Amino acid sequence: MIIKRSAILLLSTTFLGGSISAADSTAAGTQRELQEPALQNTFSGKGAPPNPLPNCHGDCDDDSHCEGDLVCFQRFGYEKVPGCSGTGFRKVDFCGVRATANTLWMKGDNGRPSRNFPLGLCEGDCDSDADCDTGLECQQRTG
């Protein structure tokens, strides 16, 4: 994770297609939960998919594989994709909505894919300050 010195991280829970752990009041005053879209592995070929992938769909390799302003969330296991439900498949990357620049986002690991380095604000996974944009530092965490 990369943060600016003295920056405070605020995680947004708003995204296209629902809201994380949120409830919505209906006209009758009852509560209904908004559902996160389920992860779907709709492309498993090599190279770019034939059409840009929609929200919570994979397997993307970079942001250009995703529709519009969606970004590719790189996974190395079963990491939770912000704004999507389910676990999907191991090491399958999914397109998603990055709500704000302060939303933590996995962009790569160990310098791969190289086009995603240096990493920007709140992007990971960094191993040293050299993996980060100028003026940012790598923050290591466990768990």
Side-chain angles (χ1 to χ4, degrees):
M1 166 177 59
I2 301 172
I3 60 172
K4 286 185 179 179
R5 296 178 207 274
S6 76
I8 297 174
L9 295 178
L10 299 174
L11 300 180
S12 174
T13 58
T14 304
F15 61 94
L16 297 177
S19 182
I20 299 171
S21 301
D24 183 27
S25 296
T26 63
T30 60
Q31 299 288 312
R32 66 178 172 86
E33 282 193 34
L34 298 176
Q35 299 295 314
E36 295 176 329
L39 292 175
Q40 297 182 43
N41 189 22
T42 55
F43 177 74
S44 59
K46 295 269 185 206
N51 297 302
L53 298 167
N55 190 32
C56 301
H57 285 241
D59 181 23
C60 56
D61 293 323
D62 60 50
D63 297 348
S64 70
H65 294 175
C66 302
E67 285 182 345
D69 292 333
L70 298 175
V71 291
C72 185
F73 186 85
Q74 301 287 318
R75 299 184 341 149
F76 302 93
Y78 294 98
E79 293 88 354
K80 168 91 172 100
V81 178
C84 302
S85 65
T87 57
F89 297 96
R90 186 173 181 269
K91 294 186 176 184
V92 172
D93 309 322
F94 292 90
C95 296
V97 175
R98 186 169 183 191
T100 71
N102 291 338
T103 302
L104 300 178
W105 206 260
M106 182 67 84
K107 293 293 287 185
D109 189 32
N110 295 322
R112 296 184 324 261
S114 61
R115 66 187 156 277
N116 290 348
F117 285 81
L119 298 166
L121 181 66
C122 298
E123 295 177 346
D125 177 42
C126 60
D127 296 313
S128 72
D129 292 350
D131 291 335
C132 308
D133 275 335
T134 303
L136 301 177
E137 65 180 24
C138 181
Q139 297 291 311
Q140 298 289 321
R141 64 183 185 156
T142 59

